[in-house]
Amino acid sequence: RRGMLTAFVVDDEPLAVKRLARMLPETGRVTVAGTSTDPVEAVAAIRRSGCDVLFLDIEMPGYNGFQLLEALGPRDQPLVVFTTAFSQYALQAFDVNSIAYLLKPVEAAALERAIDK
C-alpha cells in the first residue's frame, strides 16, 4: 500500500470546500495540497500542486467541472472524484474516467470508499 494521497478540492461553495478539506485529513490517508473556489484559477494551482486526486464540484460559474478537466488536459489530470448535489451527471462523470461520484453533503463512509478506489 502506498503512502498518503495528496488531494486538491475545487468547489464554488466555500463551506463545501472547508468541510471536505477538514474531512479528508480526518481519514488519516489524505493530505490536502490545496483548495479553490474559483475553477478557472484552480487549473494552474492543480498543476502546481502535483496532487494525486482532485475532488471536484460540477456546477460552478466560470468553468463547470467537465470544462475544468478539459482545460487541465489529460497529461496534467489527477484521479477525479466528483462531489456534487446533482445526480444527473453521473454517466458523464464516468465518461471522463472519474473514480467516484459523491453526492453532497459528502458522508464519511462514501468518502472512505472513494479513497479506497
Coordinates of all heavy atoms in Angstrom, one line a residue, residues 9-98:
V9 N -9.1 20.3 -3.7 CA -10.5 20.4 -3.6 C -10.9 21.7 -4.4 O -10.4 22.8 -4.1 CB -11.0 20.5 -2.2 CG1 -12.5 20.7 -2.1 CG2 -10.5 19.3 -1.4
V10 N -11.9 21.5 -5.3 CA -12.4 22.6 -6.1 C -14.0 22.6 -6.0 O -14.6 21.6 -6.3 CB -12.0 22.6 -7.6 CG1 -12.6 23.8 -8.3 CG2 -10.5 22.6 -7.7
D11 N -14.5 23.7 -5.4 CA -15.9 23.8 -5.3 C -16.2 25.3 -5.1 O -15.5 26.0 -4.4 CB -16.4 23.1 -4.0 CG -18.0 22.9 -4.0 OD1 -18.7 23.9 -4.2 OD2 -18.4 21.8 -3.8
D12 N -17.2 25.8 -5.8 CA -17.5 27.3 -5.7 C -18.2 27.6 -4.4 O -18.3 28.8 -4.1 CB -18.4 27.7 -6.9 CG -19.8 27.1 -6.9 OD1 -19.8 25.9 -6.7 OD2 -20.8 27.8 -7.1
E13 N -18.6 26.7 -3.6 CA -19.2 26.9 -2.3 C -18.1 26.8 -1.2 O -17.6 25.7 -0.9 CB -20.3 25.9 -2.0 CG -21.4 25.9 -3.0 CD -22.4 24.8 -2.7 OE1 -22.6 24.4 -1.5 OE2 -23.0 24.3 -3.7
P14 N -17.7 28.0 -0.6 CA -16.7 27.9 0.4 C -16.9 27.0 1.6 O -16.0 26.3 2.1 CB -16.6 29.4 1.0 CG -17.2 30.2 -0.2 CD -18.2 29.3 -0.8
L15 N -18.2 26.8 2.0 CA -18.5 25.9 3.1 C -18.2 24.4 2.7 O -17.7 23.6 3.5 CB -19.9 26.0 3.6 CG -20.1 27.3 4.4 CD1 -21.6 27.4 4.8 CD2 -19.3 27.4 5.7
A16 N -18.5 24.1 1.4 CA -18.3 22.7 0.9 C -16.8 22.5 0.9 O -16.3 21.4 1.2 CB -18.9 22.6 -0.4
V17 N -16.0 23.5 0.4 CA -14.5 23.3 0.4 C -14.0 23.1 1.8 O -13.2 22.2 2.1 CB -13.9 24.6 -0.2 CG1 -12.3 24.5 0.0 CG2 -14.2 24.7 -1.7
K18 N -14.4 23.9 2.7 CA -14.0 23.9 4.1 C -14.3 22.5 4.7 O -13.5 21.9 5.4 CB -14.6 25.0 4.9 CG -14.1 25.1 6.3 CD -14.7 26.4 7.0 CE -14.1 26.6 8.3 NZ -14.6 27.8 9.0
R19 N -15.5 22.0 4.5 CA -15.9 20.7 5.1 C -15.1 19.6 4.5 O -14.6 18.7 5.3 CB -17.4 20.5 4.7 CG -18.0 19.2 5.4 CD -19.5 19.2 5.2 NE -20.1 18.1 5.9 CZ -20.3 16.9 5.4 NH1 -20.0 16.7 4.1 NH2 -20.8 15.9 6.1
L20 N -14.9 19.5 3.2 CA -14.1 18.4 2.6 C -12.7 18.5 3.0 O -12.0 17.5 3.3 CB -14.3 18.5 1.1 CG -14.1 17.2 0.3 CD1 -14.8 16.0 0.9 CD2 -14.5 17.4 -1.1
A21 N -12.1 19.8 3.1 CA -10.7 20.0 3.5 C -10.5 19.5 4.9 O -9.4 19.2 5.3 CB -10.3 21.4 3.2
R22 N -11.6 19.5 5.7 CA -11.5 19.0 7.1 C -11.6 17.5 7.1 O -10.9 16.8 7.8 CB -12.6 19.7 7.9 CG -12.5 19.3 9.4 CD -13.7 19.7 10.2 NE -14.8 18.7 9.9 CZ -16.0 19.1 9.4 NH1 -16.2 20.3 9.0 NH2 -16.9 18.1 9.1
M23 N -12.6 17.0 6.3 CA -12.9 15.5 6.3 C -11.7 14.7 5.8 O -11.5 13.6 6.3 CB -14.1 15.2 5.5 CG -15.4 15.7 6.2 SD -16.8 15.4 5.1 CE -17.0 13.6 5.3
L24 N -11.1 15.2 4.7 CA -10.0 14.4 4.1 C -8.9 14.0 5.0 O -8.5 12.8 5.2 CB -9.5 15.1 2.8 CG -10.5 15.0 1.7 CD1 -10.1 16.0 0.6 CD2 -10.6 13.6 1.1
P25 N -8.3 15.0 5.7 CA -7.2 14.6 6.7 C -7.7 13.7 7.8 O -6.9 12.9 8.4 CB -6.7 15.9 7.2 CG -7.1 16.9 6.2 CD -8.4 16.4 5.6
E26 N -9.0 13.8 8.2 CA -9.5 13.0 9.3 C -9.5 11.5 8.9 O -9.6 10.7 9.8 CB -11.0 13.5 9.6 CG -11.0 14.8 10.4 CD -12.4 15.3 10.6 OE1 -13.4 14.7 10.1 OE2 -12.5 16.3 11.3
T27 N -9.4 11.2 7.6 CA -9.3 9.8 7.2 C -8.0 9.2 7.6 O -7.8 8.0 7.6 CB -9.5 9.6 5.7 OG1 -8.4 10.2 5.0 CG2 -10.8 10.2 5.2
G28 N -7.0 10.0 7.8 CA -5.6 9.5 8.1 C -4.9 9.1 6.9 O -3.8 8.5 7.0
R29 N -5.5 9.3 5.7 CA -4.9 8.8 4.5 C -4.7 9.8 3.4 O -4.1 9.5 2.4 CB -5.7 7.6 3.9 CG -5.9 6.5 4.9 CD -6.5 5.3 4.2 NE -8.0 5.5 3.9 CZ -8.7 4.8 3.1 NH1 -8.1 3.7 2.5 NH2 -10.0 5.0 2.9
V30 N -5.1 11.1 3.7 CA -5.1 12.1 2.7 C -4.6 13.4 3.3 O -5.1 13.8 4.4 CB -6.5 12.3 2.1 CG1 -6.5 13.4 1.0 CG2 -7.1 11.0 1.5
T31 N -3.7 14.1 2.6 CA -3.4 15.4 2.9 C -3.9 16.3 1.8 O -4.0 15.9 0.7 CB -1.8 15.7 3.0 OG1 -1.2 15.3 1.8 CG2 -1.2 14.8 4.1
V32 N -4.3 17.6 2.2 CA -4.8 18.5 1.2 C -3.7 19.4 0.7 O -3.2 20.2 1.5 CB -6.0 19.3 1.9 CG1 -6.6 20.3 0.9 CG2 -7.1 18.3 2.3
A33 N -3.4 19.3 -0.6 CA -2.4 20.1 -1.2 C -2.9 21.5 -1.5 O -2.1 22.4 -1.6 CB -1.9 19.4 -2.5
G34 N -4.2 21.7 -1.6 CA -4.7 23.0 -1.9 C -6.2 22.9 -2.2 O -6.8 21.9 -2.3
T35 N -6.8 24.1 -2.1 CA -8.3 24.3 -2.4 C -8.5 25.5 -3.2 O -7.7 26.4 -3.3 CB -9.1 24.4 -1.1 OG1 -8.7 25.6 -0.4 CG2 -8.8 23.2 -0.1
S36 N -9.7 25.5 -3.9 CA -10.0 26.7 -4.6 C -11.5 26.8 -4.8 O -12.2 25.8 -4.9 CB -9.4 26.7 -6.0 OG -9.8 27.8 -6.8
T37 N -12.1 28.0 -4.7 CA -13.5 28.2 -5.0 C -13.7 28.8 -6.4 O -14.8 29.0 -6.8 CB -14.1 29.2 -4.0 OG1 -13.4 30.4 -4.0 CG2 -14.1 28.6 -2.6
D38 N -12.6 29.0 -7.1 CA -12.6 29.6 -8.5 C -12.1 28.5 -9.5 O -10.9 28.3 -9.5 CB -11.8 30.8 -8.6 CG -11.9 31.5 -9.9 OD1 -11.9 30.8 -11.0 OD2 -11.8 32.7 -10.0
P39 N -12.9 27.9 -10.2 CA -12.5 26.8 -11.1 C -11.5 27.2 -12.2 O -10.7 26.5 -12.6 CB -13.8 26.2 -11.7 CG -14.8 27.3 -11.5 CD -14.4 28.1 -10.3
V40 N -11.6 28.5 -12.7 CA -10.7 29.0 -13.7 C -9.3 29.1 -13.1 O -8.3 28.6 -13.7 CB -11.2 30.3 -14.3 CG1 -10.2 30.8 -15.3 CG2 -12.6 30.1 -15.0
E41 N -9.2 29.7 -12.0 CA -7.9 29.9 -11.3 C -7.3 28.6 -10.8 O -6.1 28.4 -10.7 CB -8.0 30.9 -10.1 CG -8.3 32.3 -10.5 CD -8.4 33.2 -9.4 OE1 -8.3 32.8 -8.2 OE2 -8.7 34.4 -9.6
A42 N -8.2 27.6 -10.5 CA -7.8 26.3 -10.0 C -6.9 25.5 -10.9 O -6.1 24.8 -10.5 CB -9.0 25.5 -9.6
V43 N -7.1 25.7 -12.2 CA -6.3 24.9 -13.2 C -4.8 25.0 -13.0 O -4.2 24.0 -12.9 CB -6.7 25.3 -14.7 CG1 -5.8 24.6 -15.7 CG2 -8.2 25.0 -14.9
A44 N -4.3 26.2 -12.9 CA -2.9 26.4 -12.7 C -2.5 25.9 -11.3 O -1.4 25.3 -11.1 CB -2.5 27.9 -12.8
A45 N -3.3 26.1 -10.3 CA -3.0 25.7 -8.9 C -2.9 24.1 -8.8 O -2.1 23.6 -8.2 CB -4.0 26.2 -7.9
I46 N -3.8 23.5 -9.6 CA -3.8 22.0 -9.6 C -2.5 21.5 -10.2 O -1.9 20.6 -9.7 CB -5.1 21.5 -10.3 CG1 -6.3 21.8 -9.5 CG2 -4.9 20.0 -10.6 CD1 -7.6 21.7 -10.3
R47 N -2.1 22.1 -11.3 CA -0.9 21.7 -12.0 C 0.3 21.9 -11.0 O 1.2 21.0 -10.9 CB -0.7 22.5 -13.2 CG -1.5 22.1 -14.4 CD -1.1 22.9 -15.7 NE -2.0 22.5 -16.8 CZ -2.7 23.3 -17.5 NH1 -2.7 24.6 -17.2 NH2 -3.5 22.9 -18.4
R48 N 0.3 23.0 -10.3 CA 1.5 23.3 -9.4 C 1.5 22.3 -8.2 O 2.5 22.0 -7.7 CB 1.4 24.7 -8.9 CG 1.8 25.8 -9.8 CD 2.0 27.1 -9.1 NE 0.8 27.5 -8.4 CZ -0.2 28.3 -8.9 NH1 -0.2 28.6 -10.1 NH2 -1.2 28.6 -8.1
S49 N 0.3 21.9 -7.8 CA 0.2 21.1 -6.6 C 0.7 19.7 -6.8 O 1.2 19.1 -5.8 CB -1.3 21.0 -6.1 OG -2.0 20.1 -6.9
G50 N 0.7 19.1 -8.0 CA 1.1 17.8 -8.2 C 0.3 16.8 -7.4 O 0.8 15.7 -7.0
C51 N -1.0 17.1 -7.2 CA -1.9 16.2 -6.4 C -2.2 14.9 -7.0 O -2.1 14.7 -8.2 CB -3.2 17.0 -6.0 SG -4.2 17.3 -7.5
D52 N -2.5 13.9 -6.2 CA -2.9 12.6 -6.7 C -4.3 12.5 -7.1 O -4.7 11.8 -8.0 CB -2.7 11.5 -5.6 CG -1.2 11.4 -5.1 OD1 -0.4 11.3 -5.9 OD2 -1.0 11.5 -3.9
V53 N -5.2 13.2 -6.4 CA -6.6 13.2 -6.6 C -7.3 14.5 -6.5 O -6.9 15.3 -5.7 CB -7.3 12.1 -5.7 CG1 -7.1 12.5 -4.2 CG2 -8.7 11.9 -6.0
L54 N -8.2 14.8 -7.4 CA -9.0 16.0 -7.4 C -10.4 15.8 -7.0 O -11.1 14.9 -7.6 CB -8.9 16.6 -8.8 CG -9.7 17.8 -9.2 CD1 -9.2 19.0 -8.3 CD2 -9.5 18.2 -10.7
F55 N -10.8 16.5 -5.9 CA -12.2 16.4 -5.5 C -12.9 17.6 -6.1 O -12.6 18.8 -5.8 CB -12.3 16.4 -4.0 CG -11.9 15.1 -3.4 CD1 -10.6 14.8 -3.2 CD2 -12.9 14.2 -3.1 CE1 -10.2 13.6 -2.7 CE2 -12.5 12.9 -2.5 CZ -11.1 12.6 -2.3
L56 N -13.8 17.4 -7.1 CA -14.3 18.4 -8.0 C -15.8 18.5 -8.0 O -16.5 17.5 -8.3 CB -13.7 18.1 -9.4 CG -14.0 19.0 -10.5 CD1 -13.5 20.4 -10.3 CD2 -13.5 18.4 -11.8
D57 N -16.3 19.7 -7.8 CA -17.7 20.0 -8.0 C -18.0 20.1 -9.5 O -17.1 20.2 -10.3 CB -18.1 21.3 -7.3 CG -19.6 21.6 -7.2 OD1 -20.4 20.7 -7.4 OD2 -19.9 22.8 -7.0
I58 N -19.3 20.0 -9.9 CA -19.6 20.1 -11.3 C -20.2 21.4 -11.7 O -19.7 22.1 -12.6 CB -20.5 18.9 -11.7 CG1 -19.8 17.6 -11.6 CG2 -21.0 19.1 -13.2 CD1 -20.6 16.3 -11.9
E59 N -21.3 21.8 -11.0 CA -21.9 23.1 -11.4 C -21.3 24.2 -10.6 O -21.5 24.4 -9.4 CB -23.4 23.0 -11.1 CG -24.2 22.1 -12.0 CD -25.7 22.4 -12.0 OE1 -26.2 23.2 -11.3 OE2 -26.3 21.7 -12.8
M60 N -20.5 25.0 -11.4 CA -19.8 26.2 -10.9 C -19.8 27.3 -11.9 O -19.8 27.0 -13.1 CB -18.3 25.8 -10.5 CG -18.2 24.7 -9.5 SD -16.4 24.3 -9.2 CE -16.0 23.4 -10.7
P61 N -19.7 28.5 -11.5 CA -19.6 29.6 -12.5 C -18.2 29.6 -13.1 O -17.2 29.2 -12.5 CB -19.9 30.9 -11.7 CG -19.6 30.5 -10.3 CD -19.8 29.0 -10.2
G62 N -18.1 30.1 -14.3 CA -16.8 30.1 -15.0 C -16.6 28.9 -15.8 O -17.0 28.8 -16.9
Y63 N -16.0 27.9 -15.1 CA -15.9 26.5 -15.7 C -16.8 25.6 -14.9 O -16.8 25.7 -13.7 CB -14.5 26.0 -15.6 CG -13.4 26.5 -16.5 CD1 -12.1 26.3 -16.2 CD2 -13.7 27.1 -17.7 CE1 -11.1 26.7 -17.0 CE2 -12.7 27.5 -18.6 CZ -11.4 27.3 -18.2 OH -10.4 27.7 -19.0
N64 N -17.5 24.7 -15.6 CA -18.1 23.6 -14.8 C -17.0 22.6 -14.6 O -15.9 22.7 -15.1 CB -19.4 23.0 -15.4 CG -19.1 22.3 -16.7 OD1 -18.1 21.7 -16.9 ND2 -20.1 22.4 -17.6
G65 N -17.2 21.5 -13.8 CA -16.2 20.5 -13.6 C -15.6 19.9 -14.8 O -14.4 19.7 -14.9
F66 N -16.5 19.6 -15.8 CA -16.0 19.0 -17.0 C -15.1 19.9 -17.8 O -14.1 19.5 -18.4 CB -17.2 18.5 -17.9 CG -18.0 17.5 -17.1 CD1 -19.3 17.8 -16.7 CD2 -17.6 16.2 -16.9 CE1 -20.1 16.9 -16.0 CE2 -18.3 15.3 -16.2 CZ -19.6 15.6 -15.8
Q67 N -15.5 21.2 -17.9 CA -14.7 22.2 -18.6 C -13.3 22.4 -17.9 O -12.3 22.6 -18.5 CB -15.4 23.5 -18.6 CG -16.6 23.5 -19.6 CD -17.5 24.7 -19.4 OE1 -17.7 25.2 -18.3 NE2 -18.0 25.2 -20.5
L68 N -13.3 22.3 -16.5 CA -12.0 22.4 -15.8 C -11.1 21.3 -16.2 O -9.9 21.5 -16.5 CB -12.3 22.4 -14.3 CG -11.0 22.5 -13.4 CD1 -11.4 23.3 -12.2 CD2 -10.4 21.2 -13.1
L69 N -11.7 20.0 -16.3 CA -10.8 18.9 -16.7 C -10.3 19.0 -18.1 O -9.2 18.7 -18.4 CB -11.6 17.6 -16.6 CG -12.0 17.2 -15.2 CD1 -12.8 15.9 -15.2 CD2 -10.7 17.0 -14.3
E70 N -11.1 19.6 -19.0 CA -10.7 19.8 -20.4 C -9.6 20.8 -20.4 O -8.6 20.7 -21.1 CB -11.9 20.3 -21.2 CG -11.7 20.2 -22.7 CD -13.0 20.5 -23.4 OE1 -14.0 19.9 -23.2 OE2 -13.0 21.5 -24.2
A71 N -9.7 21.9 -19.6 CA -8.7 22.9 -19.6 C -7.4 22.4 -19.0 O -6.3 22.7 -19.4 CB -9.1 24.1 -18.7
L72 N -7.5 21.5 -18.0 CA -6.3 20.8 -17.4 C -5.6 19.9 -18.4 O -4.4 19.9 -18.4 CB -6.8 20.0 -16.2 CG -5.8 19.7 -15.1 CD1 -5.2 21.0 -14.6 CD2 -6.6 19.0 -14.0
G73 N -6.4 19.2 -19.2 CA -5.7 18.4 -20.2 C -5.4 17.0 -19.6 O -5.2 16.9 -18.4
P74 N -5.4 16.0 -20.4 CA -5.1 14.6 -19.9 C -3.8 14.4 -19.2 O -3.6 13.6 -18.3 CB -5.3 13.7 -21.1 CG -5.2 14.6 -22.3 CD -5.6 16.0 -21.8
R75 N -2.8 15.1 -19.7 CA -1.4 15.0 -19.2 C -1.3 15.4 -17.7 O -0.6 14.8 -16.9 CB -0.4 15.8 -20.0 CG 1.0 15.5 -19.8 CD 1.9 16.2 -20.7 NE 1.7 17.7 -20.7 CZ 2.4 18.5 -19.9 NH1 3.2 18.0 -19.0 NH2 2.2 19.8 -19.9
D76 N -2.1 16.5 -17.4 CA -2.0 17.0 -16.0 C -3.1 16.6 -15.1 O -3.3 17.1 -14.0 CB -1.9 18.6 -16.1 CG -0.7 19.1 -16.7 OD1 0.4 18.5 -16.4 OD2 -0.7 20.1 -17.4
Q77 N -4.0 15.7 -15.6 CA -5.1 15.3 -14.8 C -4.9 14.3 -13.8 O -4.5 13.2 -14.1 CB -6.2 14.9 -15.8 CG -7.6 14.6 -15.1 CD -8.6 14.2 -16.1 OE1 -8.8 14.8 -17.1 NE2 -9.4 13.2 -15.7
P78 N -5.1 14.6 -12.5 CA -5.0 13.6 -11.4 C -6.3 12.7 -11.5 O -7.2 12.9 -12.3 CB -5.0 14.4 -10.2 CG -5.7 15.7 -10.5 CD -5.4 15.9 -12.0
L79 N -6.3 11.7 -10.6 CA -7.6 11.0 -10.5 C -8.7 12.0 -10.0 O -8.4 12.9 -9.3 CB -7.4 9.9 -9.4 CG -6.4 8.8 -9.7 CD1 -6.2 7.9 -8.5 CD2 -6.8 8.0 -10.9
V80 N -9.9 11.7 -10.5 CA -11.0 12.7 -10.2 C -12.1 12.0 -9.4 O -12.6 10.9 -9.7 CB -11.6 13.2 -11.5 CG1 -12.8 14.1 -11.2 CG2 -10.5 13.9 -12.3
V81 N -12.5 12.7 -8.3 CA -13.7 12.3 -7.6 C -14.6 13.5 -7.7 O -14.3 14.6 -7.2 CB -13.4 12.0 -6.1 CG1 -14.7 11.7 -5.3 CG2 -12.4 10.8 -6.0
F82 N -15.8 13.3 -8.3 CA -16.8 14.4 -8.4 C -17.6 14.5 -7.1 O -17.9 13.4 -6.5 CB -17.7 14.2 -9.6 CG -17.1 14.5 -10.9 CD1 -16.8 13.6 -11.8 CD2 -16.9 15.9 -11.2 CE1 -16.2 13.9 -13.0 CE2 -16.3 16.2 -12.4 CZ -16.0 15.2 -13.3
T83 N -17.8 15.7 -6.6 CA -18.6 15.9 -5.4 C -19.6 16.9 -5.8 O -19.3 18.1 -6.2 CB -17.7 16.5 -4.3 OG1 -17.1 17.7 -4.7 CG2 -16.7 15.5 -3.8
T84 N -20.9 16.5 -5.9 CA -21.9 17.4 -6.4 C -23.3 17.1 -5.8 O -23.5 16.0 -5.2 CB -22.0 17.2 -8.0 OG1 -23.0 18.1 -8.5 CG2 -22.4 15.8 -8.3
A85 N -24.1 18.1 -5.9 CA -25.5 17.9 -5.3 C -26.4 17.3 -6.4 O -27.6 17.1 -6.1 CB -26.0 19.2 -4.9
F86 N -25.9 17.1 -7.6 CA -26.8 16.7 -8.7 C -26.4 15.3 -9.2 O -25.3 15.1 -9.7 CB -26.6 17.7 -9.9 CG -26.9 19.1 -9.4 CD1 -25.9 20.0 -9.0 CD2 -28.2 19.6 -9.4 CE1 -26.1 21.3 -8.6 CE2 -28.5 20.9 -9.0 CZ -27.5 21.7 -8.6
S87 N -27.4 14.4 -9.2 CA -27.2 13.0 -9.6 C -27.2 12.9 -11.2 O -26.6 11.9 -11.7 CB -28.2 12.1 -9.0 OG -29.5 12.5 -9.5
Q88 N -27.7 13.8 -11.9 CA -27.8 13.6 -13.4 C -26.5 13.6 -14.1 O -26.5 13.3 -15.3 CB -28.8 14.7 -13.9 CG -28.3 16.1 -14.0 CD -28.7 17.0 -12.9 OE1 -28.9 16.5 -11.7 NE2 -28.9 18.3 -13.1
Y89 N -25.4 14.0 -13.5 CA -24.1 14.0 -14.2 C -23.3 12.7 -14.1 O -22.2 12.6 -14.6 CB -23.3 15.2 -13.8 CG -23.9 16.5 -14.0 CD1 -24.3 17.3 -12.9 CD2 -24.0 17.0 -15.3 CE1 -24.9 18.5 -13.2 CE2 -24.6 18.3 -15.5 CZ -25.0 19.0 -14.4 OH -25.6 20.2 -14.7
A90 N -23.9 11.7 -13.4 CA -23.1 10.5 -13.1 C -22.6 9.8 -14.3 O -21.4 9.5 -14.4 CB -23.9 9.6 -12.2
L91 N -23.4 9.6 -15.3 CA -22.9 8.9 -16.5 C -21.8 9.7 -17.2 O -20.8 9.1 -17.6 CB -24.1 8.6 -17.5 CG -25.0 7.5 -17.0 CD1 -26.2 7.4 -18.0 CD2 -24.3 6.2 -16.9
Q92 N -22.0 11.0 -17.3 CA -21.0 11.9 -18.0 C -19.7 11.8 -17.2 O -18.6 11.8 -17.7 CB -21.5 13.3 -18.1 CG -20.6 14.2 -19.0 CD -21.2 15.6 -19.1 OE1 -22.3 15.9 -18.6 NE2 -20.5 16.4 -19.7
A93 N -19.8 11.7 -15.8 CA -18.6 11.7 -15.0 C -17.8 10.5 -15.3 O -16.5 10.6 -15.3 CB -19.1 11.7 -13.5
F94 N -18.4 9.4 -15.5 CA -17.6 8.1 -15.8 C -17.1 8.1 -17.2 O -16.1 7.5 -17.4 CB -18.4 6.9 -15.4 CG -18.6 6.8 -14.0 CD1 -19.8 7.1 -13.3 CD2 -17.5 6.3 -13.2 CE1 -19.9 7.0 -11.9 CE2 -17.6 6.2 -11.8 CZ -18.8 6.6 -11.2
D95 N -17.6 8.9 -18.1 CA -17.1 9.1 -19.4 C -15.7 9.8 -19.4 O -14.9 9.6 -20.3 CB -18.0 9.9 -20.3 CG -19.2 9.1 -20.8 OD1 -19.1 7.8 -20.8 OD2 -20.1 9.7 -21.3
V96 N -15.5 10.6 -18.3 CA -14.2 11.3 -18.2 C -13.3 10.6 -17.2 O -12.4 11.2 -16.6 CB -14.3 12.8 -17.9 CG1 -15.0 13.5 -19.0 CG2 -15.1 13.0 -16.5
N97 N -13.6 9.3 -16.9 CA -12.7 8.5 -16.1 C -12.6 8.9 -14.6 O -11.6 8.7 -14.0 CB -11.3 8.3 -16.7 CG -11.4 7.6 -18.0 OD1 -12.1 6.7 -18.2 ND2 -10.6 8.1 -19.0
S98 N -13.7 9.5 -14.1 CA -13.7 9.7 -12.7 C -13.7 8.4 -11.9 O -14.3 7.4 -12.4 CB -14.9 10.6 -12.3 OG -16.1 9.9 -12.4

